Amino acid sequence: AEGKSTTAMTSAMAHALASTATAEGKVSRDWRRAVRMKEAGSLFRGRVEAANRGGVVLRVGRLAGFVPMSQIEAERVADGAEPAETRLENLVGKRMVVRVLECDPRGRVLILSEKAAATTMAVQKLEVGMTCRGKVRMLADFGAFVDVYHEETGIKGAEGLVHVSELSWDPVVHPSKVVGVGQEVILKVISLDAERNRIGLSLRQTETDPLLETLDMLMPVVEANKQGRKKNGQPDELLPELVNICRMLQEQPGILQVEAGRRVVERRGGSQEVEIWLTN
């Protein structure tokens, strides 16, 4: 009887060890999968299983990934009457699309981000030149970080940066002089970087350049057609000195006609080029 008991116990232990080894093997495969997801920038859709003060837990296979509150789409955890913990607990059971931010199999660390996933989708769907809505989330010396929303493409909560040089046509000492945290603004998409998962935005390009606006009033831009140069207006009254120069040139031998006009070389610069055409 003792022999049979020992044999049964040994068999049970062997079975338990085999089961443990199998489970560990599956966990190792999940870690390798997570590493590949991070390297490829892949997106994963999962269900939130738990919440704590700092964020929520989302299972990736047999792994428990952590999504910090700062990496959750802002509208999900917007400030309200409820405590932050309650707002996070309300997410339990809901689906979330995330991207791997940090993956350390040795340290058993798996950090996920819903915002990074939203940015990836935005880079794929948005186009340079589009306008979108943004909410200022954070300010830095070099610019303003905003949450990006674009109703037509379904983008919400993507991360974008408005560089300090794109905040205003005027020199900006610090972003706080132009925008504030929580402020909603209309922005223009000026760059999309899939490799670095970044969106470049501009506030100033949604407004008219004051310099060009003034120049347009003084001297409209000259356009060319098949017959030759075409003037959009005469600067006689606003630029009398230029008119005098043209008259002096026209008095020179061999010159039949002198026309003044403006051609924009760059959208913004220290000066604008003025051309004078001579007809002989």
Side-chain angles (χ1 to χ4, degrees), residues 43 48 56-57 62 86 96 148 153 158 185 218 220 236 275 278:
L43 306 185
V48 177
V56 299
V57 177
R62 295 164 187 80
T86 303
M96 186 178 288
V148 179
T153 57
V185 290
L218 292 174
D236 297 32
E275 292 184 345
L278 307 179

Side-chain angles (χ1 to χ4, degrees), residues 45 71-77 91 94-97 113-123 125-126 132-135 137 146-160 199:
R45 181 179 176 84
Q71 293 301 321
I72 298 174
E73 198 273 303
E75 290 188 353
R76 286 184 182 266
V77 289
L91 296 179
K94 295 184 179 180
R95 293 283 183 176
M96 186 178 288
V97 178
S113 171
E114 184 180 33
K115 285 188 174 182
T119 303
T120 299
M121 291 186 284
V123 170
K125 294 182 179 182
L126 295 177
C132 58
R133 180 169 59 89
K135 188 171 184 178
R137 177 170 54 86
V146 299
D147 291 327
V148 179
Y149 300 88
H150 190 263
E151 285 71 18
E152 292 180 10
T153 57
I155 297 301
K156 57 179 182 179
E159 292 183 302
I199 302 173

Side-chain angles (χ1 to χ4, degrees), residues 242-263:
L242 180 58
V243 174
N244 291 335
I245 292 174
C246 291
R247 286 173 179 167
M248 291 173 60
L249 288 171
Q250 195 163 342
E251 292 173 359
Q252 300 302 311
I255 302 299
L256 300 179
Q257 184 178 2
V258 179
E259 293 181 355
R262 175 174 140 255
R263 178 168 61 90

